[in-house]
Amino acid sequence: MKAKRIAGEKAAEYVKDGMVVGLGTGSTAYWAVKKVGEMVKEGLNIRAVPTSEETKELAEDLNIPLVSLADVNYIDLTIDGADEVDSNLNLIKGGGGALVREKIVAFHSKKLIIIVDESKIVDKLGAFPLPVEVVHFGADKTLITLEKFDCQPKLRKENGELFNTDNHNYIIDCNFEVIENPKKLNNELNELPGVVETGLFVEMADRVIVGTNEGELNIIE
């Protein structure tokens, strides 16, 4: 908890007056959004684009002014979490199920700051199952196709029911164990009919802020 909070609050320091800010989703991004809310209360003037309905509700509760992505030309800075970060700052995201909106917002951002605790730093991606968002139609066939990648794909469930994203799609979690070439895999998966997007964020992060439970911060550029 402490590691996530200090990383999130440190990232909020990069938010400046007049910015359009992308607000990420998840247990670490939560702390950044909370801090930004405090800054807005103290007079910070920003507009924010949330990456999920969950984050939208949190931001509204904190009175952070929200806009849609269609209302802005670009986003100055997005702050988001990650499930894994490798030595090249490639990411696995989507544990919270918001990967498509997160990737769209990140793509249209001038800067992407990722906030994590130290447990998320890995040499190579893949120990965390890779989320792949797929459309409902033919999802069983998409899952069979993904089996050819030798990744033990499973449709995500929540409370015994199939998990639905904010975009009304399913998520298939793929256990690759080790991903040797994230860029190649991302491209191959995105070519499959039925796949909307993968949780591989390749060459997108500009800065990673790592918090530790001892209260220390490590910033990787």
Side-chain angles (χ1 to χ4, degrees):
M1 179 76 80
K2 184 179 181 181
K4 294 179 178 184
R5 180 173 58 79
I6 62 171
E9 291 179 351
K10 178 64 179 177
E13 293 178 12
Y14 292 92
V15 178
K16 304 300 180 188
D17 222 45
M19 278 186 169
V20 178
V21 181
L23 300 177
T25 298
S27 59
T28 311
Y30 166 87
W31 292 105
V33 178
K34 287 275 285 186
K35 185 63 177 178
V36 169
E38 291 175 17
M39 294 160 67
V40 167
K41 190 175 180 180
E42 291 166 3
L44 177 72
N45 177 32
I46 62 162
R47 292 177 294 163
V49 179
T51 55
S52 66
E53 294 302 313
E54 177 187 322
T55 297
K56 180 184 176 188
E57 289 176 14
L58 175 60
E60 286 174 341
D61 288 343
L62 297 168
N63 295 312
I64 299 173
L66 298 180
V67 291
S68 75
L69 190 56
D71 294 329
V72 297
N73 293 324
Y74 57 84
I75 296 167
D76 293 289
L77 170 68
T78 289
I79 301 171
D80 209 346
D83 299 297
E84 282 187 342
V85 180
D86 75 7
S87 54
N88 295 311
L89 303 193
N90 296 316
L91 321 169
I92 284 182
K93 290 177 50 54
L99 63 102
V100 170
R101 296 191 189 188
E102 288 173 337
K103 191 175 277 192
I104 292 169
V105 169
F107 180 82
H108 292 286
S109 302
K110 289 182 175 180
K111 294 282 185 185
L112 174 62
I113 295 180
I114 295 298
I115 46 177
V116 293
D117 64 72
E118 57 194 331
S119 69
K120 307 295 173 64
I121 303 297
V122 297
D123 290 328
K124 292 185 178 180
L125 303 177
F128 188 92
L130 174 66
V132 178
E133 187 158 332
V134 303
V135 298
H136 286 188
F137 181 82
D140 54 335
K141 295 292 188 287
T142 307
L143 186 129
I144 291 169
T145 304
L146 286 168
E147 286 177 350
K148 297 174 184 176
F149 285 81
D150 192 26
C151 62
Q152 305 162 42
K154 292 182 180 178
L155 276 162
R156 184 180 296 185
K157 291 187 176 182
E158 190 175 68
N159 301 321
E161 303 288 333
L162 286 171
F163 176 83
N164 265 291
T165 69
D166 287 342
N167 314 309
H168 308 294
N169 296 317
Y170 294 143
I171 285 182
I172 297 176
D173 292 305
C174 302
N175 187 12
F176 283 94
E177 295 185 4
V178 176
I179 297 172
E180 295 290 351
N181 190 330
K183 190 171 189 176
K184 180 171 178 281
L185 179 61
N186 183 58
N187 291 339
E188 288 175 350
L189 294 176
N190 273 318
E191 287 177 356
L192 301 178
V195 170
V196 179
E197 190 54 83
T198 86
L200 284 167
F201 285 51
V202 180
E203 298 171 0
M204 297 184 79
D206 296 285
R207 182 178 290 122
V208 176
I209 300 175
V210 187
T212 73
N213 286 321
E214 289 73 40
E216 297 175 357
L217 285 168
N218 183 22
I219 299 175
I220 310 168
E221 307 264 350

